[in-house]
Amino acid sequence: MFANPRRVRHAQHCRRHLPGAHGAPYAPFNPYPEQAHLKILLVRVSSMGDVLHNMPIVDDLLRQFPQAQIDWVVEEAYVSLVRLHPGVRQIFPFALRRWRKSLRAAATRAEIGAFVKKLRAERYDLVLDTQGLLKTGLIMGLAQLATGGKKIGLANGTEGSGYEGVSRIFHDQSVPVDRCTHAVLRGRLVAAAAGGYVVDGPASFGLQAPQIQPDWRPAQPYVVFFHGTARASKKWAHANWVAIGQALAASGMPILLPWGNLAEKAEAVSLAAELPQARVLPALPMMEAVALAQGAALAIGVDTGLVHIAAAYERPTIEIYCDSPRWKTEGNWSDKIVNLGDAGRPATVAQVALAIRQLLSNQA
């Protein structure tokens, strides 16, 4: 597999110029008292990893404004994920992926109308669009403001992001960010500019554990390999997974292998055939997949949503980057997270093995 030269150059540039994990590029002005009963709407509709990386905004806002009421518009597939944060009062399910398949159907039009009516029944002091797309701008445009309220979003995208500049027409204020700003910090800076405070600490995700006990969960501590990902170039080599699985045999922990489609299931079956302690899991609904990540004694995975969930819960996690820039999403909020590799420079087996020894020794 050959590295994409453009991705490598971007990763190298941003690694040299990467800003810190926290801090703001401006002197804030706070127009709100700490005890203000602010009503705040967050607009971040997809994807799973991006929705997850928006979570620290909730903790940030509630630290600054403990009486705030925070609502969220999110794609319906991720409602259960957002519901895990107790600081979110009301969730507006947005079903564009489903609606656009049947826009002419009366039932679909009625459902869209109900969404709009429910959203516009509220009046917000702050509406924050941290995605920066036309569709999220349109949602922001639909939201109603309280007297003196503001709509705030991104003034620009970061390297490789899907930012759409037309989204700015819905803003009262657009917040510029460095082109190499981490995915978590980007949203936190928008919220800080809106609320008039400085981002001054590591990200806190505030997620509760799913209240479920799946039948597949082992009684003993377990390792999970998040080996699947949507883009083939982001995968780690099969032989590498086998080598790491063999190195983990002495730990006595079972290795659980989730999958998201038939191709990933075939890969999991192939891995399990070479690793006696490995077990292929059944198809997992969203909350069982989250529980898998949240309960792991050790999570190892490529750049995908579920490995980022393990990192958000601050489980011992190794994130392996092969063809995506590490600076964009690496877990930089806990010493229980080890980030290895980068675009065009996948982690080696030796690097991952060393990280495993370090993380497991810290648990001993």
Side-chain angles (χ1 to χ4, degrees), residues 244-291:
I244 289 301
Q246 292 170 342
L248 280 164
S251 73
M253 291 188 289
I255 297 172
L256 304 188
L257 302 173
W259 49 273
N261 55 47
L262 291 179
E264 290 178 8
K265 183 178 183 180
E267 293 169 3
V269 169
S270 179
L271 286 172
E274 299 185 64
L275 299 171
Q277 80 275 35
R279 193 169 104 213
V280 179
L281 294 175
L284 302 180
M286 169 70 79
M287 280 302 95
E288 290 193 23
V290 173

mmCIF file of all heavy atoms in Angstrom, residues 244-291:
data_model
loop_
_atom_site.group_PDB
_atom_site.id
_atom_site.type_symbol
_atom_site.label_atom_id
_atom_site.label_comp_id
_atom_site.label_asym_id
_atom_site.label_seq_id
_atom_site.Cartn_x
_atom_site.Cartn_y
_atom_site.Cartn_z
ATOM 1 N N ILE A 244 -0.003 -9.039 17.346
ATOM 2 C CA ILE A 244 -0.383 -8.422 18.617
ATOM 3 C C ILE A 244 -1.269 -9.371 19.426
ATOM 4 O O ILE A 244 -1.145 -9.474 20.650
ATOM 5 C CB ILE A 244 -1.092 -7.076 18.362
ATOM 6 C CG1 ILE A 244 -0.078 -6.052 17.870
ATOM 7 C CG2 ILE A 244 -1.789 -6.569 19.636
ATOM 8 C CD1 ILE A 244 1.080 -5.782 18.829
ATOM 9 N N GLY A 245 -2.160 -10.074 18.741
ATOM 10 C CA GLY A 245 -2.985 -11.055 19.445
ATOM 11 C C GLY A 245 -2.152 -12.146 20.086
ATOM 12 O O GLY A 245 -2.409 -12.556 21.229
ATOM 13 N N GLN A 246 -1.153 -12.603 19.372
ATOM 14 C CA GLN A 246 -0.257 -13.630 19.933
ATOM 15 C C GLN A 246 0.523 -13.079 21.127
ATOM 16 O O GLN A 246 0.733 -13.786 22.122
ATOM 17 C CB GLN A 246 0.685 -14.132 18.843
ATOM 18 C CG GLN A 246 -0.031 -14.932 17.753
ATOM 19 C CD GLN A 246 0.851 -15.230 16.558
ATOM 20 O OE1 GLN A 246 1.899 -14.589 16.347
ATOM 21 N NE2 GLN A 246 0.451 -16.195 15.735
ATOM 22 N N ALA A 247 0.929 -11.820 21.040
ATOM 23 C CA ALA A 247 1.664 -11.208 22.151
ATOM 24 C C ALA A 247 0.782 -11.069 23.390
ATOM 25 O O ALA A 247 1.283 -11.064 24.516
ATOM 26 C CB ALA A 247 2.190 -9.841 21.725
ATOM 27 N N LEU A 248 -0.523 -10.950 23.185
ATOM 28 C CA LEU A 248 -1.457 -10.785 24.310
ATOM 29 C C LEU A 248 -1.878 -12.110 24.932
ATOM 30 O O LEU A 248 -2.570 -12.116 25.958
ATOM 31 C CB LEU A 248 -2.709 -10.037 23.836
ATOM 32 C CG LEU A 248 -2.579 -8.520 23.722
ATOM 33 C CD1 LEU A 248 -3.724 -7.947 22.890
ATOM 34 C CD2 LEU A 248 -2.564 -7.888 25.115
ATOM 35 N N ALA A 249 -1.486 -13.232 24.335
ATOM 36 C CA ALA A 249 -1.936 -14.537 24.825
ATOM 37 C C ALA A 249 -1.577 -14.754 26.287
ATOM 38 O O ALA A 249 -2.359 -15.316 27.067
ATOM 39 C CB ALA A 249 -1.349 -15.646 23.957
ATOM 40 N N ALA A 250 -0.395 -14.276 26.675
ATOM 41 C CA ALA A 250 0.053 -14.480 28.059
ATOM 42 C C ALA A 250 -0.786 -13.722 29.069
ATOM 43 O O ALA A 250 -0.796 -14.068 30.259
ATOM 44 C CB ALA A 250 1.522 -14.056 28.185
ATOM 45 N N SER A 251 -1.514 -12.713 28.631
ATOM 46 C CA SER A 251 -2.340 -11.933 29.565
ATOM 47 C C SER A 251 -3.545 -12.724 30.059
ATOM 48 O O SER A 251 -4.129 -12.400 31.095
ATOM 49 C CB SER A 251 -2.820 -10.642 28.892
ATOM 50 O OG SER A 251 -3.829 -10.923 27.927
ATOM 51 N N GLY A 252 -3.949 -13.742 29.287
ATOM 52 C CA GLY A 252 -5.117 -14.530 29.652
ATOM 53 C C GLY A 252 -6.445 -13.859 29.340
ATOM 54 O O GLY A 252 -7.505 -14.435 29.592
ATOM 55 N N MET A 253 -6.406 -12.651 28.789
ATOM 56 C CA MET A 253 -7.649 -11.937 28.489
ATOM 57 C C MET A 253 -8.182 -12.346 27.123
ATOM 58 O O MET A 253 -7.419 -12.435 26.160
ATOM 59 C CB MET A 253 -7.421 -10.417 28.516
ATOM 60 C CG MET A 253 -7.155 -9.858 29.902
ATOM 61 S SD MET A 253 -7.122 -8.036 29.936
ATOM 62 C CE MET A 253 -5.588 -7.700 29.061
ATOM 63 N N PRO A 254 -9.486 -12.583 27.012
ATOM 64 C CA PRO A 254 -10.064 -12.841 25.692
ATOM 65 C C PRO A 254 -10.003 -11.589 24.832
ATOM 66 O O PRO A 254 -10.023 -10.462 25.334
ATOM 67 C CB PRO A 254 -11.508 -13.228 26.009
ATOM 68 C CG PRO A 254 -11.797 -12.598 27.329
ATOM 69 C CD PRO A 254 -10.499 -12.591 28.081
ATOM 70 N N ILE A 255 -9.919 -11.798 23.518
ATOM 71 C CA ILE A 255 -9.933 -10.710 22.549
ATOM 72 C C ILE A 255 -11.277 -10.742 21.825
ATOM 73 O O ILE A 255 -11.642 -11.755 21.219
ATOM 74 C CB ILE A 255 -8.781 -10.844 21.538
ATOM 75 C CG1 ILE A 255 -7.430 -10.754 22.248
ATOM 76 C CG2 ILE A 255 -8.882 -9.766 20.459
ATOM 77 C CD1 ILE A 255 -6.239 -11.061 21.345
ATOM 78 N N LEU A 256 -12.011 -9.652 21.899
ATOM 79 C CA LEU A 256 -13.319 -9.566 21.255
ATOM 80 C C LEU A 256 -13.184 -8.831 19.924
ATOM 81 O O LEU A 256 -12.511 -7.795 19.848
ATOM 82 C CB LEU A 256 -14.324 -8.856 22.158
ATOM 83 C CG LEU A 256 -14.509 -9.464 23.564
ATOM 84 C CD1 LEU A 256 -15.670 -8.778 24.288
ATOM 85 C CD2 LEU A 256 -14.731 -10.970 23.500
ATOM 86 N N LEU A 257 -13.840 -9.374 18.907
ATOM 87 C CA LEU A 257 -13.724 -8.839 17.547
ATOM 88 C C LEU A 257 -15.090 -8.396 17.041
ATOM 89 O O LEU A 257 -15.902 -9.219 16.600
ATOM 90 C CB LEU A 257 -13.145 -9.916 16.615
ATOM 91 C CG LEU A 257 -11.769 -10.480 16.996
ATOM 92 C CD1 LEU A 257 -11.409 -11.649 16.092
ATOM 93 C CD2 LEU A 257 -10.704 -9.394 16.914
ATOM 94 N N PRO A 258 -15.376 -7.102 17.104
ATOM 95 C CA PRO A 258 -16.631 -6.592 16.531
ATOM 96 C C PRO A 258 -16.496 -6.401 15.025
ATOM 97 O O PRO A 258 -15.385 -6.404 14.475
ATOM 98 C CB PRO A 258 -16.804 -5.260 17.249
ATOM 99 C CG PRO A 258 -15.394 -4.803 17.483
ATOM 100 C CD PRO A 258 -14.571 -6.045 17.727
ATOM 101 N N TRP A 259 -17.613 -6.191 14.368
ATOM 102 C CA TRP A 259 -17.613 -5.933 12.930
ATOM 103 C C TRP A 259 -18.852 -5.133 12.571
ATOM 104 O O TRP A 259 -19.852 -5.140 13.290
ATOM 105 C CB TRP A 259 -17.586 -7.254 12.141
ATOM 106 C CG TRP A 259 -18.612 -8.259 12.589
ATOM 107 C CD1 TRP A 259 -18.481 -9.175 13.586
ATOM 108 C CD2 TRP A 259 -19.944 -8.429 12.066
ATOM 109 N NE1 TRP A 259 -19.631 -9.904 13.734
ATOM 110 C CE2 TRP A 259 -20.552 -9.470 12.812
ATOM 111 C CE3 TRP A 259 -20.665 -7.809 11.053
ATOM 112 C CZ2 TRP A 259 -21.857 -9.899 12.560
ATOM 113 C CZ3 TRP A 259 -21.969 -8.235 10.800
ATOM 114 C CH2 TRP A 259 -22.541 -9.276 11.546
ATOM 115 N N GLY A 260 -18.774 -4.410 11.460
ATOM 116 C CA GLY A 260 -19.878 -3.554 11.068
ATOM 117 C C GLY A 260 -20.520 -3.912 9.754
ATOM 118 O O GLY A 260 -21.585 -3.393 9.409
ATOM 119 N N ASN A 261 -19.895 -4.795 8.967
ATOM 120 C CA ASN A 261 -20.457 -5.256 7.701
ATOM 121 C C ASN A 261 -19.884 -6.636 7.403
ATOM 122 O O ASN A 261 -19.038 -7.153 8.153
ATOM 123 C CB ASN A 261 -20.166 -4.262 6.564
ATOM 124 C CG ASN A 261 -18.680 -3.972 6.428
ATOM 125 O OD1 ASN A 261 -17.848 -4.869 6.415
ATOM 126 N ND2 ASN A 261 -18.333 -2.681 6.330
ATOM 127 N N LEU A 262 -20.337 -7.248 6.322
ATOM 128 C CA LEU A 262 -19.935 -8.629 6.034
ATOM 129 C C LEU A 262 -18.443 -8.749 5.747
ATOM 130 O O LEU A 262 -17.817 -9.747 6.113
ATOM 131 C CB LEU A 262 -20.756 -9.165 4.860
ATOM 132 C CG LEU A 262 -22.249 -9.393 5.161
ATOM 133 C CD1 LEU A 262 -22.969 -9.908 3.918
ATOM 134 C CD2 LEU A 262 -22.432 -10.363 6.332
ATOM 135 N N ALA A 263 -17.862 -7.744 5.109
ATOM 136 C CA ALA A 263 -16.424 -7.797 4.841
ATOM 137 C C ALA A 263 -15.634 -7.759 6.148
ATOM 138 O O ALA A 263 -14.661 -8.511 6.317
ATOM 139 C CB ALA A 263 -16.014 -6.635 3.936
ATOM 140 N N GLU A 264 -16.050 -6.906 7.074
ATOM 141 C CA GLU A 264 -15.374 -6.840 8.374
ATOM 142 C C GLU A 264 -15.601 -8.114 9.175
ATOM 143 O O GLU A 264 -14.719 -8.560 9.914
ATOM 144 C CB GLU A 264 -15.864 -5.621 9.158
ATOM 145 C CG GLU A 264 -15.408 -4.301 8.576
ATOM 146 C CD GLU A 264 -15.944 -3.096 9.337
ATOM 147 O OE1 GLU A 264 -16.548 -3.307 10.424
ATOM 148 O OE2 GLU A 264 -15.781 -1.969 8.860
ATOM 149 N N LYS A 265 -16.782 -8.710 9.023
ATOM 150 C CA LYS A 265 -17.028 -9.976 9.708
ATOM 151 C C LYS A 265 -16.087 -11.056 9.194
ATOM 152 O O LYS A 265 -15.525 -11.846 9.977
ATOM 153 C CB LYS A 265 -18.481 -10.410 9.524
ATOM 154 C CG LYS A 265 -18.822 -11.694 10.279
ATOM 155 C CD LYS A 265 -20.280 -12.087 10.116
ATOM 156 C CE LYS A 265 -20.606 -13.334 10.936
ATOM 157 N NZ LYS A 265 -22.035 -13.737 10.773
ATOM 158 N N ALA A 266 -15.879 -11.106 7.881
ATOM 159 C CA ALA A 266 -14.954 -12.081 7.304
ATOM 160 C C ALA A 266 -13.542 -11.863 7.837
ATOM 161 O O ALA A 266 -12.814 -12.829 8.129
ATOM 162 C CB ALA A 266 -14.981 -11.987 5.775
ATOM 163 N N GLU A 267 -13.126 -10.599 7.983
ATOM 164 C CA GLU A 267 -11.812 -10.301 8.547
ATOM 165 C C GLU A 267 -11.730 -10.774 9.992
ATOM 166 O O GLU A 267 -10.702 -11.323 10.423
ATOM 167 C CB GLU A 267 -11.543 -8.805 8.464
ATOM 168 C CG GLU A 267 -11.381 -8.276 7.038
ATOM 169 C CD GLU A 267 -11.380 -6.754 6.970
ATOM 170 O OE1 GLU A 267 -11.447 -6.114 8.043
ATOM 171 O OE2 GLU A 267 -11.321 -6.210 5.860
ATOM 172 N N ALA A 268 -12.802 -10.556 10.765
ATOM 173 C CA ALA A 268 -12.822 -10.995 12.164
ATOM 174 C C ALA A 268 -12.729 -12.510 12.260
ATOM 175 O O ALA A 268 -11.988 -13.055 13.105
ATOM 176 C CB ALA A 268 -14.088 -10.487 12.845
ATOM 177 N N VAL A 269 -13.464 -13.216 11.405
ATOM 178 C CA VAL A 269 -13.416 -14.685 11.396
ATOM 179 C C VAL A 269 -12.009 -15.160 11.070
ATOM 180 O O VAL A 269 -11.489 -16.103 11.684
ATOM 181 C CB VAL A 269 -14.442 -15.242 10.391
ATOM 182 C CG1 VAL A 269 -14.236 -16.730 10.172
ATOM 183 C CG2 VAL A 269 -15.865 -14.978 10.874
ATOM 184 N N SER A 270 -11.361 -14.481 10.109
ATOM 185 C CA SER A 270 -9.998 -14.859 9.734
ATOM 186 C C SER A 270 -9.021 -14.635 10.890
ATOM 187 O O SER A 270 -8.141 -15.470 11.141
ATOM 188 C CB SER A 270 -9.572 -14.044 8.507
ATOM 189 O OG SER A 270 -8.260 -14.366 8.116
ATOM 190 N N LEU A 271 -9.180 -13.529 11.606
ATOM 191 C CA LEU A 271 -8.319 -13.287 12.766
ATOM 192 C C LEU A 271 -8.546 -14.332 13.848
ATOM 193 O O LEU A 271 -7.595 -14.869 14.445
ATOM 194 C CB LEU A 271 -8.580 -11.886 13.332
ATOM 195 C CG LEU A 271 -8.042 -10.692 12.547
ATOM 196 C CD1 LEU A 271 -8.566 -9.382 13.132
ATOM 197 C CD2 LEU A 271 -6.515 -10.693 12.561
ATOM 198 N N ALA A 272 -9.805 -14.631 14.118
ATOM 199 C CA ALA A 272 -10.125 -15.589 15.181
ATOM 200 C C ALA A 272 -9.573 -16.979 14.865
ATOM 201 O O ALA A 272 -9.225 -17.740 15.775
ATOM 202 C CB ALA A 272 -11.635 -15.650 15.384
ATOM 203 N N ALA A 273 -9.472 -17.309 13.585
ATOM 204 C CA ALA A 273 -8.936 -18.610 13.196
ATOM 205 C C ALA A 273 -7.465 -18.757 13.573
ATOM 206 O O ALA A 273 -6.967 -19.876 13.739
ATOM 207 C CB ALA A 273 -9.116 -18.807 11.694
ATOM 208 N N GLU A 274 -6.774 -17.622 13.720
ATOM 209 C CA GLU A 274 -5.347 -17.653 14.063
ATOM 210 C C GLU A 274 -5.077 -17.287 15.517
ATOM 211 O O GLU A 274 -3.922 -17.355 15.956
ATOM 212 C CB GLU A 274 -4.575 -16.697 13.143
ATOM 213 C CG GLU A 274 -4.673 -17.056 11.668
ATOM 214 C CD GLU A 274 -3.813 -16.161 10.794
ATOM 215 O OE1 GLU A 274 -2.580 -16.191 10.948
ATOM 216 O OE2 GLU A 274 -4.382 -15.412 9.972
ATOM 217 N N LEU A 275 -6.113 -16.895 16.247
ATOM 218 C CA LEU A 275 -5.930 -16.468 17.637
ATOM 219 C C LEU A 275 -6.913 -17.246 18.522
ATOM 220 O O LEU A 275 -8.103 -16.924 18.564
ATOM 221 C CB LEU A 275 -6.176 -14.967 17.776
ATOM 222 C CG LEU A 275 -5.245 -14.057 16.963
ATOM 223 C CD1 LEU A 275 -5.731 -12.606 17.017
ATOM 224 C CD2 LEU A 275 -3.813 -14.158 17.481
ATOM 225 N N PRO A 276 -6.446 -18.262 19.219
ATOM 226 C CA PRO A 276 -7.354 -19.119 19.998
ATOM 227 C C PRO A 276 -8.173 -18.366 21.043
ATOM 228 O O PRO A 276 -9.294 -18.785 21.363
ATOM 229 C CB PRO A 276 -6.396 -20.122 20.662
ATOM 230 C CG PRO A 276 -5.184 -20.127 19.793
ATOM 231 C CD PRO A 276 -5.059 -18.738 19.255
ATOM 232 N N GLN A 277 -7.646 -17.271 21.576
ATOM 233 C CA GLN A 277 -8.375 -16.542 22.630
ATOM 234 C C GLN A 277 -9.319 -15.500 22.069
ATOM 235 O O GLN A 277 -9.977 -14.782 22.829
ATOM 236 C CB GLN A 277 -7.388 -15.884 23.605
ATOM 237 C CG GLN A 277 -6.755 -14.578 23.155
ATOM 238 C CD GLN A 277 -5.521 -14.746 22.278
ATOM 239 O OE1 GLN A 277 -5.433 -15.670 21.472
ATOM 240 N NE2 GLN A 277 -4.566 -13.835 22.432
ATOM 241 N N ALA A 278 -9.394 -15.390 20.735
ATOM 242 C CA ALA A 278 -10.239 -14.371 20.105
ATOM 243 C C ALA A 278 -11.644 -14.913 19.854
ATOM 244 O O ALA A 278 -11.835 -16.110 19.604
ATOM 245 C CB ALA A 278 -9.616 -13.894 18.808
ATOM 246 N N ARG A 279 -12.610 -13.998 19.897
ATOM 247 C CA ARG A 279 -14.004 -14.381 19.704
ATOM 248 C C ARG A 279 -14.687 -13.350 18.812
ATOM 249 O O ARG A 279 -14.610 -12.135 19.075
ATOM 250 C CB ARG A 279 -14.699 -14.456 21.053
ATOM 251 C CG ARG A 279 -16.037 -15.132 21.004
ATOM 252 C CD ARG A 279 -16.521 -15.407 22.402
ATOM 253 N NE ARG A 279 -17.551 -14.465 22.803
ATOM 254 C CZ ARG A 279 -17.739 -14.024 24.027
ATOM 255 N NH1 ARG A 279 -16.943 -14.398 24.992
ATOM 256 N NH2 ARG A 279 -18.713 -13.208 24.303
ATOM 257 N N VAL A 280 -15.353 -13.816 17.769
ATOM 258 C CA VAL A 280 -16.100 -12.928 16.885
ATOM 259 C C VAL A 280 -17.452 -12.632 17.531
ATOM 260 O O VAL A 280 -18.194 -13.542 17.913
ATOM 261 C CB VAL A 280 -16.305 -13.560 15.500
ATOM 262 C CG1 VAL A 280 -17.118 -12.619 14.600
ATOM 263 C CG2 VAL A 280 -14.964 -13.896 14.857
ATOM 264 N N LEU A 281 -17.780 -11.355 17.671
ATOM 265 C CA LEU A 281 -19.023 -10.955 18.304
ATOM 266 C C LEU A 281 -20.183 -10.996 17.311
ATOM 267 O O LEU A 281 -19.977 -10.933 16.100
ATOM 268 C CB LEU A 281 -18.889 -9.543 18.876
ATOM 269 C CG LEU A 281 -17.909 -9.384 20.032
ATOM 270 C CD1 LEU A 281 -17.788 -7.912 20.426
ATOM 271 C CD2 LEU A 281 -18.330 -10.218 21.238
ATOM 272 N N PRO A 282 -21.410 -11.060 17.811
ATOM 273 C CA PRO A 282 -22.559 -10.895 16.918
ATOM 274 C C PRO A 282 -22.672 -9.441 16.465
ATOM 275 O O PRO A 282 -21.964 -8.561 16.969
ATOM 276 C CB PRO A 282 -23.744 -11.292 17.815
ATOM 277 C CG PRO A 282 -23.280 -10.975 19.195
ATOM 278 C CD PRO A 282 -21.802 -11.280 19.216
ATOM 279 N N ALA A 283 -23.560 -9.185 15.526
ATOM 280 C CA ALA A 283 -23.827 -7.804 15.117
ATOM 281 C C ALA A 283 -24.326 -7.026 16.333
ATOM 282 O O ALA A 283 -25.201 -7.491 17.064
ATOM 283 C CB ALA A 283 -24.864 -7.782 14.000
ATOM 284 N N LEU A 284 -23.750 -5.849 16.565
ATOM 285 C CA LEU A 284 -24.060 -5.080 17.764
ATOM 286 C C LEU A 284 -24.854 -3.827 17.430
ATOM 287 O O LEU A 284 -24.443 -3.043 16.573
ATOM 288 C CB LEU A 284 -22.765 -4.667 18.490
ATOM 289 C CG LEU A 284 -21.824 -5.775 18.936
ATOM 290 C CD1 LEU A 284 -20.607 -5.171 19.632
ATOM 291 C CD2 LEU A 284 -22.524 -6.767 19.850
ATOM 292 N N PRO A 285 -25.983 -3.606 18.114
ATOM 293 C CA PRO A 285 -26.641 -2.302 18.005
ATOM 294 C C PRO A 285 -25.776 -1.232 18.663
ATOM 295 O O PRO A 285 -24.814 -1.539 19.381
ATOM 296 C CB PRO A 285 -27.959 -2.501 18.748
ATOM 297 C CG PRO A 285 -27.720 -3.662 19.662
ATOM 298 C CD PRO A 285 -26.696 -4.528 18.993
ATOM 299 N N MET A 286 -26.112 0.024 18.429
ATOM 300 C CA MET A 286 -25.277 1.144 18.861
ATOM 301 C C MET A 286 -24.880 1.067 20.329
ATOM 302 O O MET A 286 -23.702 1.161 20.682
ATOM 303 C CB MET A 286 -25.992 2.462 18.587
ATOM 304 C CG MET A 286 -25.348 3.689 19.233
ATOM 305 S SD MET A 286 -23.771 4.170 18.521
ATOM 306 C CE MET A 286 -24.324 5.002 17.062
ATOM 307 N N MET A 287 -25.840 0.891 21.228
ATOM 308 C CA MET A 287 -25.517 0.944 22.653
ATOM 309 C C MET A 287 -24.680 -0.248 23.099
ATOM 310 O O MET A 287 -23.865 -0.129 24.016
ATOM 311 C CB MET A 287 -26.783 1.066 23.486
ATOM 312 C CG MET A 287 -27.346 2.476 23.556
ATOM 313 S SD MET A 287 -26.191 3.710 24.236
ATOM 314 C CE MET A 287 -25.444 4.399 22.760
ATOM 315 N N GLU A 288 -24.825 -1.394 22.467
ATOM 316 C CA GLU A 288 -23.958 -2.521 22.816
ATOM 317 C C GLU A 288 -22.537 -2.277 22.323
ATOM 318 O O GLU A 288 -21.568 -2.660 22.988
ATOM 319 C CB GLU A 288 -24.523 -3.814 22.249
ATOM 320 C CG GLU A 288 -25.800 -4.265 22.948
ATOM 321 C CD GLU A 288 -26.193 -5.694 22.617
ATOM 322 O OE1 GLU A 288 -25.309 -6.481 22.225
ATOM 323 O OE2 GLU A 288 -27.383 -6.017 22.762
ATOM 324 N N ALA A 289 -22.407 -1.622 21.168
ATOM 325 C CA ALA A 289 -21.071 -1.270 20.683
ATOM 326 C C ALA A 289 -20.403 -0.271 21.622
ATOM 327 O O ALA A 289 -19.203 -0.363 21.909
ATOM 328 C CB ALA A 289 -21.157 -0.700 19.269
ATOM 329 N N VAL A 290 -21.164 0.698 22.132
ATOM 330 C CA VAL A 290 -20.627 1.654 23.100
ATOM 331 C C VAL A 290 -20.239 0.930 24.386
ATOM 332 O O VAL A 290 -19.169 1.186 24.963
ATOM 333 C CB VAL A 290 -21.651 2.766 23.383
ATOM 334 C CG1 VAL A 290 -21.172 3.661 24.527
ATOM 335 C CG2 VAL A 290 -21.885 3.608 22.132
ATOM 336 N N ALA A 291 -21.088 0.009 24.846
ATOM 337 C CA ALA A 291 -20.776 -0.752 26.057
ATOM 338 C C ALA A 291 -19.511 -1.579 25.876
ATOM 339 O O ALA A 291 -18.718 -1.738 26.816
ATOM 340 C CB ALA A 291 -21.958 -1.658 26.418
#
